[in-house]
Amino acid sequence: QVQLVESGGGSVQVGGSLRLSCAASGDTYFYNSMGWFRQAPGEEREGVATIYLDGGSTAYGDSVKGRFTISQDNAKNTVYLLMNSLKPEDTAKYYCAADRISYGLGASRLLDPGLFDYWGQGTQVTVSS
């Protein structure tokens, strides 16, 4: 019902920037929130940034606060992740996710990947020193 396609990953040096895009298609009834998650080899998937699409309430993982910004373009059904001041520990595969989740949970609770049913294929981000 919902298809997500990520783009914008790549290789960058420490301190550099990248902007990831996630284009959603399908019935918008099935999602009111979207998020970015990442997973490094041997690690669990962790929440990076999330957003409720109605109102724009956002939340960020502690490790990216002040460096990453999530934003939306409703006209394009697209969510972006601007990543600044990248560090080697940001190296991971980044996934976009979407679902319909109660507003009562609050954006910070959306950092739990278990809340999302719709996932993209991921895009690799590699930060080298």
Side-chain angles (χ1 to χ4, degrees), residues 15-96:
S17 299
L18 284 174
R19 190 180 78 157
L20 306 183
S21 300
C22 174
S25 60
D27 195 337
T28 56
Y29 169 82
F30 290 100
Y31 64 101
N32 66 346
S33 54
M34 295 181 71
W36 287 97
F37 299 81
R38 68 186 182 187
Q39 189 167 20
E43 302 288 333
E44 292 187 354
R45 191 167 295 189
E46 66 167 332
V48 175
T50 58
I51 186 168
Y52 276 110
L53 299 177
D54 297 333
S57 179
T58 60
Y60 296 89
D62 289 341
S63 61
V64 307
K65 284 180 181 176
R67 300 188 297 123
F68 291 11
T69 303
I70 189 170
S71 61
Q72 63 187 105
D73 184 336
N74 288 340
K76 296 181 180 179
N77 291 329
T78 298
V79 168
Y80 304 96
L81 183 68
L82 176 61
M83 306 184 293
N84 293 323
S85 302
L86 283 161
K87 305 175 181 180
E89 51 264 43
D90 294 319
T91 295
K93 195 164 189 179
Y94 284 69
Y95 297 87
C96 176

